[in-house]
Amino acid sequence: MLFINLRTLLNNAALRNGHNFVVRNFRCGQPVQDKVQLKGRDLLTLKNFTGEEIKYMLWLSADLKFRIKQKGEYLPLLQGKSLGMIFEKRSTRTRLSTETGFALLGGHPCFLTTDDIHLGVNESLTDTARFVHLLLEAYFTIYGYILKRKYASL
């Protein structure tokens, strides 16, 4: 229900501002909220964000996609940054969309499975999490929810 209302809101706001281009049913134009502060926050669940923050994230992703795919702009917003992706179970769509999006913004995605890093075998889970945190600017896990919550703030 939130997404249907959000599409309507973004469509109406964009039409009022004279914008008429569409990206995945979200119209690009002016941001919904200029005063949203997301820097330094972990995205573990959408429950930690307000409706305005979620709307802003959706608007931002639609705007970036439009600027890169339709206008052909090069936006090296993540140049020099590395993203560690730790997967317990393989997920083709998640891996490809995350790697592609991060690379399109100039970053370097590093795909790791539990076999690659031997979580909890040669090194403790805590040591691995600290090491990953020191070397990478961001990490993305498809692993147990407890792991994400426990090590997100390292």
Side-chain angles (χ1 to χ4, degrees):
M1 190 66 176
L2 169 69
F3 296 109
I4 294 169
N5 293 338
L6 180 57
R7 273 192 206 131
T8 304
L9 173 72
L10 291 176
N11 289 343
N12 291 339
L15 288 173
R16 275 187 251 122
N17 292 326
H19 298 284
N20 60 0
F21 39 91
V22 178
V23 178
R24 286 246 184 189
N25 297 324
F26 291 100
R27 294 196 186 261
C28 297
Q30 298 301 315
V32 177
Q33 175 63 272
D34 288 327
K35 296 179 178 152
V36 173
Q37 294 296 324
L38 301 174
K39 187 174 181 175
R41 294 178 60 191
D42 296 315
L43 179 56
L44 298 174
T45 175
L46 289 177
K47 292 178 185 176
N48 296 339
F49 294 89
T50 66
E52 288 299 312
E53 291 168 334
I54 294 168
K55 289 174 192 176
Y56 181 76
M57 286 187 277
L58 290 171
W59 172 85
L60 182 62
S61 63
D63 185 59
L64 288 172
K65 184 175 181 178
F66 175 79
R67 291 170 63 188
I68 292 169
K69 296 286 188 179
Q70 303 298 320
K71 288 185 168 183
E73 291 182 29
Y74 176 64
L75 302 169
L77 301 172
L78 300 174
Q79 187 170 1
K81 307 286 186 202
S82 295
L83 169 71
M85 300 184 307
I86 303 170
F87 286 70
E88 180 180 30
K89 296 178 182 175
R90 295 185 182 267
S91 173
T92 304
R93 285 184 299 242
T94 304
R95 178 182 175 180
L96 285 175
S97 62
T98 305
E99 279 186 356
T100 302
F102 207 77
L104 283 172
L105 293 173
H108 177 72
C110 305
F111 175 73
L112 302 165
T113 66
T114 53
D115 293 334
D116 297 326
I117 56 176
H118 305 289
L119 281 176
V121 177
N122 296 335
E123 298 175 345
S124 72
L125 199 54
T126 305
D127 287 343
T128 301
R130 284 195 181 115
F131 187 70
V132 165
H133 177 70
L134 288 173
L135 292 179
L136 304 171
E137 283 74 27
Y139 71 94
F140 172 86
T141 64
I142 299 295
Y143 205 80
Y145 178 70
I146 294 169
L147 175 73
K148 289 186 226 174
R149 283 190 52 118
K150 187 171 183 181
Y151 296 107
S153 61
L154 283 178

